[in-house]
Amino acid sequence: MCSWKVTGVWGFMMCGLVIACTDEETAAVADLSAQTGANDVIGSGSQFGGNQGSEGSGWTGAGIDDTAGSDDGPLSVDFHSDGKGTDAAVNNGDVPAGNPPDAGLGNLPEADGGRPRETVGRGDLPDAQCGYGKVLGLICSPNDQVFVNNAAVWIDTMDCEGNPIHLETVSDDGGFYTIENVPSGYQTVHYQSGTFKNEHKILVKSGKTTDVTGFGYKQCFKVTNDPETPPPVEPVVCETGAILGTLCEGEGFVIVGPATVYVNTIDCNGEFVYVEASSAPDGTYVLNGVPVGPVWVFIEMNNLAIQVQTTVQANQTTVLDPLFDPICFPKEPCGFGSAAGKVCSLQGDAWIPDAVITVTTVDCDGKSVVAKTQSQADGSFALGGLPVGTQWLVVEYDGGGYQVPVEILKGTTTDVGVVGAPSCNPGGGCGYGALAGYVCAPSGVKVGNATVYVTAIDCNGAPVTIVAQSDGQGNYFVDGVPSGTVTVQVVKGNFSVTYTVPVEKNKTTAVSDVVLSICFPKNQAKLAVVTGDWDHIQAILDKLGLTYDLYDGTNNVSQTVNLLTNLPKLMEYDVVFFNCGADHYGIFGTSTLISQNLQTYVQAGHSIYASDWAFIYAEAPWSYAIDFYGDDAGNSGPKVGAAKTITGVVQDPNLVNYLGKSEVTIKYDLGAWVVVQSVVAQVMTHIAGYITEAGGNVPLMMSHHPYGGEGRVLYTTFHNEPQATQDMTQILYYLVFEL
């Protein structure tokens, strides 16, 4: 059989193996394969999996299961499979032992109801929440033992929203490559140069750099004939060392801390090794247990990151001396922002044009800063280049002047409103005007059917509040508003925003022209999202510009269990969204506290939304409200909906107003979706449709207030991905602000 010998130039990386066999030996391997079938272990310790071929065709299996032998890097074997000299190449890649199977191979188990689990291509995510990291690697040709430049390197995977992405780069002159914005979890890196092609399974950590240059060094070893050197059958104990260093900042040697220092690499067995430490107040740090050989040390502090390469020796401490090899962070540049507002006379009877607005200050480096501008004909002004922090606006004009403090934030414009008088009423005398504005999500998407409150002082000196409603497209118009500066508050569900507007008598003020921020703040409501296999409501929240906390409902479900059984934690959220998924019934059954806590949560004025297979959260705590099809006491009874596209009839007048129509297209691209049979009178049916399985028109989107207060339970039989039509997307926008 094939014999073994380790050769190479890097003595500290004695773990990369490539089989080299003579023609007679490869023929012998093929003959043995044909005789032994699919499950015999060949001399390398690698298990060749396949099926017995038909008579005369030889062995036809093409898979390799490397669990029986050493994890020895790229393994290529050529053998004659048909007795006619035809070569069949088998390559197992470089999959570290213990890694989960690649989800892209379609080997995830099917969930109950016959619906296949979504194969996102990322494998099991070790992180609680999907994020993005960077991959640093090195390509070496094992045949030529040279590093390969200009090789194509790519990763095909799914991003954190479940969308397919293709990331690609090329190796530099030294064979190194870097791929940015790689989703966390197990990924497969492919690379090719001419006829040389291979791939690696890697582990990416969110916010970190994964150093897989060790794969490149391993590939520059070969195995040649040497009968005295048997193949390894067990992973060896890899040697390690330590790294000691000190940080500095800027041009000098000012010690800083704390910083995060880490190594994310592989050991001699191809196993991933992650070592992390925090620098001490004096800037020193120590990394222990680092695999020997070349490694990259990554250092992060205050959103800054640097990296340095060093070589670790066995049982020794590598010192990165700041006097000779300083690791210095560049000093963060000073931050700047701007301010905007309108200048009114101190008497409050006129807008002031040509007023001079000046800020005299110093930046974070102590450099003098003088910023100056003039107001426009309507009194408005904008002044940029202001250092972050509290600054004083000096306003000067003929007949008056004053100073106004303003807090400047980096990269943003601070709206100081009206300066000079609490309320500005140009022309003198009381009168009435109008406001025209719109309601919007943080991303700018219009929000319909919101309530608008305008608070002002009328011409008799009495406080007055005018209540109006935005239309289906989010626009509002309020007439009869007293002149002067008024306060506008917009409320929709758990979302609200407040701003002041100057109103002139006998004029209509366009709110967006005089107010910088009229949309709901992105973090004004606290939202939680429980993930699922076939839904991504978080993609809708992203499009609306809303922030949320993500809880795993598919892999590490203990996160969701801990949330739902911890009532104080649950009560921190205004709304909890449950994505459609296969594991919710099991999650719900872990504790009777979940049902009790959800009842308390909604009774306290909070809301929940569930879709399709997450129906247990809408049903169990309030079993009287929604009658699901069949034996809904179990998990599979209601899952009878067939894949189809139907026309839904909108029964919610506000939703009709928002959509501008009363019929919508609802698509179910997967079978086994949950069918609702009926609802009680207290439950509002927003959308209904004819469902053959139910024998009539049944609710497709419904909600109710179980305790008569603000708390709401909303359920849809459809969801966001991958089946959403344009109508469905608009409906989901609508329901977010109904909660």
Side-chain angles (χ1 to χ4, degrees), residues 3 104 279 304 396 403 542:
S3 53
S279 62
L304 298 174
E396 299 174 290
Q403 297 185 70
D542 288 338

CSV table of all heavy atoms in Angstrom, one decimal, residues 3 104 279 304 396 403 542:
chain,number,residue,atom,x,y,z
A,3,SER,N,3.1,4.3,1.0
A,3,SER,CA,3.9,4.5,2.2
A,3,SER,C,4.0,6.0,2.5
A,3,SER,O,3.6,6.8,1.8
A,3,SER,CB,5.3,3.9,1.9
A,3,SER,OG,5.8,4.5,0.6
A,104,GLY,N,-25.3,23.5,3.9
A,104,GLY,CA,-25.5,23.6,2.4
A,104,GLY,C,-25.6,22.2,1.8
A,104,GLY,O,-26.0,22.1,0.6
A,279,SER,N,-5.6,43.6,28.1
A,279,SER,CA,-4.4,44.3,28.6
A,279,SER,C,-4.6,44.9,30.0
A,279,SER,O,-5.7,45.3,30.3
A,279,SER,CB,-3.9,45.3,27.6
A,279,SER,OG,-4.9,46.3,27.5
A,304,LEU,N,-10.9,50.7,17.4
A,304,LEU,CA,-9.7,50.7,16.6
A,304,LEU,C,-9.1,49.3,16.7
A,304,LEU,O,-9.3,48.6,17.6
A,304,LEU,CB,-8.7,51.7,17.2
A,304,LEU,CG,-9.1,53.2,17.1
A,304,LEU,CD1,-8.0,54.0,17.9
A,304,LEU,CD2,-9.3,53.6,15.7
A,396,GLU,N,-25.7,87.5,17.3
A,396,GLU,CA,-25.7,89.0,17.3
A,396,GLU,C,-26.4,89.5,16.1
A,396,GLU,O,-26.3,89.0,15.0
A,396,GLU,CB,-24.2,89.4,17.2
A,396,GLU,CG,-23.4,88.9,18.4
A,396,GLU,CD,-21.9,89.3,18.3
A,396,GLU,OE1,-21.2,88.7,17.4
A,396,GLU,OE2,-21.4,90.2,19.0
A,403,GLN,N,-26.6,84.5,24.1
A,403,GLN,CA,-25.8,83.2,23.9
A,403,GLN,C,-26.7,82.0,24.2
A,403,GLN,O,-27.6,82.1,25.1
A,403,GLN,CB,-24.6,83.2,24.9
A,403,GLN,CG,-23.6,84.3,24.7
A,403,GLN,CD,-22.4,84.1,25.6
A,403,GLN,OE1,-21.6,83.2,25.4
A,403,GLN,NE2,-22.3,85.0,26.5
A,542,ASP,N,-35.5,45.6,10.1
A,542,ASP,CA,-34.4,46.3,9.6
A,542,ASP,C,-34.8,47.3,8.5
A,542,ASP,O,-34.2,48.4,8.5
A,542,ASP,CB,-33.4,45.3,8.9
A,542,ASP,CG,-32.7,44.4,10.0
A,542,ASP,OD1,-32.6,44.9,11.1
A,542,ASP,OD2,-32.3,43.3,9.6
